[in-house]
Amino acid sequence: MCELFGVNTSGKIQLNDLLSVFFSHGVRHPHGWGMAFFEKNTVRIEKQAVEAEKSAKLKEYLSSPIYADHMIAHIRLATKGNMEYENCHPFVRKDSSGRVWTLAHNGTIFEGKATDPYFYKQEGQTDSERILYFLTDRINKYQGKNAHSPDAETRFYLLDEIIREIAPENKLNLLICDGEYFYVHTNCNNGLHVTERNGGFVFSTVPLDGGEWKPLPVNTLLAYKGGKLVKRGTDHGFTYVEDPEKMKMLFLDYSRL
């Protein structure tokens, strides 16, 4: 599918070595790359619909020191959506209060009853972007009903509820940032790994160096802030198990695009 990389630490750390290894995997995930940097309540997105190893723009970024205390990166192996900029992760969307949500996804939505209605509203064609539309729509409905934006506790509860709703039958490895909390979720065994670094955590689909990387717990939304785990959701129990027939049909559909 794709690979994810994320950082949440108490202070900025240099990421060049880890990112170089991560983006070298682009030869197996050739349909685009992207990075999201979070600076002073703003999100800066850099992405291209180009294989990471062939991107002059990415090589230029990696040639200079990259420091961050929280960021998201992604390399794409397409299963839905053409090889276009609009389909590259991470995706960004504001809710009605102006809060910026950033999402990257590794997986596939096979059962999309909740997210399919956003197909004609989204900018690209990926099922991943539709997750973000569904999320921000749910936040907006809460704000409309309660006449105020949800606080951090409520945002976590709402996201935990959303994931429990869409996890069944779907592969849902996610990195999400709302500007305050850094959310991590996997419902696949060994779907995401974590290592402790310099007062915080680095996340990756696969270990990137010889450090101590551990698989993240499955089926449980986790929220980090300032390099600390601050919230743990309810185990929803919907572990994704790959169905070879579904995957075959998925890649056949993509090959016809």
Side-chain angles (χ1 to χ4, degrees):
M1 295 290 181
C2 306
E3 288 190 22
L4 299 170
F5 174 87
V7 174
N8 188 266
T9 54
S10 58
K12 291 187 176 183
I13 63 173
Q14 188 165 7
L15 298 172
N16 294 69
D17 289 345
L18 289 169
L19 285 172
S20 293
V21 176
F22 174 73
F23 283 120
S24 73
H25 300 171
V27 295
R28 300 190 301 273
H29 305 81
H31 300 131
W33 63 269
M35 295 187 287
F37 295 94
F38 305 91
E39 302 164 349
K40 297 181 180 179
N41 300 318
T42 63
V43 182
R44 177 169 61 89
I45 298 291
E46 305 290 349
K47 59 184 180 180
Q48 277 186 310
V50 175
E51 181 183 323
E53 286 286 275
K54 296 178 180 179
S55 170
K57 182 177 182 180
L58 180 58
K59 284 183 173 66
E60 183 179 350
Y61 282 127
L62 295 178
S63 68
S64 299
I66 297 176
Y67 289 87
D69 52 10
H70 57 302
M71 66 93 65
I72 294 173
H74 184 275
I75 45 178
R76 182 174 184 240
L77 177 63
T79 54
K80 294 187 180 182
N82 297 323
M83 189 173 171
E84 297 172 351
Y85 177 88
E86 290 78 8
N87 292 325
C88 293
H89 307 224
F91 301 103
V92 176
R93 194 162 192 256
K94 288 184 179 181
D95 65 29
S96 57
S97 75
R99 179 175 295 277
V100 179
W101 293 79
T102 306
L103 175 147
H105 173 220
N106 164 26
T108 302
I109 302 299
F110 295 98
E111 302 296 331
K113 183 178 179 181
T115 56
D116 283 351
Y118 300 96
F119 180 82
Y120 294 103
K121 298 179 181 180
Q122 67 185 117
E123 294 181 13
Q125 301 93 40
T126 67
D127 49 6
S128 304
E129 187 185 9
R130 293 195 286 276
I131 298 171
L132 182 58
Y133 271 69
F134 179 51
L135 187 166
T136 52
D137 198 28
R138 183 67 62 84
I139 296 291
N140 292 343
K141 287 178 180 177
Y142 174 92
Q143 292 174 170
K145 183 177 179 180
N146 295 278
H148 63 83
S149 59
D151 59 15
E153 182 89 17
T154 304
R155 293 197 305 276
F156 181 84
Y157 170 80
L158 290 171
L159 185 52
D160 194 42
E161 183 180 70
I162 288 166
I163 285 176
R164 289 199 307 272
E165 185 173 338
I166 63 177
E169 304 300 324
N170 296 318
K171 185 177 181 182
L172 212 59
N173 300 318
L174 293 164
L175 297 179
I176 301 172
C177 186
D178 67 6
E180 182 176 2
Y181 278 1
F182 191 94
Y183 306 91
V184 182
H185 174 269
T186 177
N187 65 339
C188 309
N189 291 318
N190 295 306
L192 275 170
H193 293 78
V194 61
T195 185
E196 294 191 37
R197 297 290 165 96
N198 299 37
F201 300 93
V202 175
F203 309 91
S204 179
T205 301
V206 297
L208 299 174
D209 62 14
E212 185 180 4
W213 294 80
K214 298 178 180 179
L216 277 167
V218 297
N219 306 332
T220 305
L221 178 67
L222 305 173
Y224 296 80
K225 182 178 180 180
K228 295 180 179 179
L229 175 63
V230 293
K231 294 286 182 186
R232 182 184 292 267
T234 305
D235 184 337
H236 54 66
F238 299 112
T239 304
Y240 172 78
V241 178
E242 189 167 295
D243 183 332
E245 285 303 312
K246 282 187 177 180
M247 294 306 300
K248 180 180 178 181
M249 293 303 298
L250 197 65
F251 282 105
L252 282 173
D253 286 344
Y254 180 76
S255 69
R256 297 187 188 107
L257 291 176

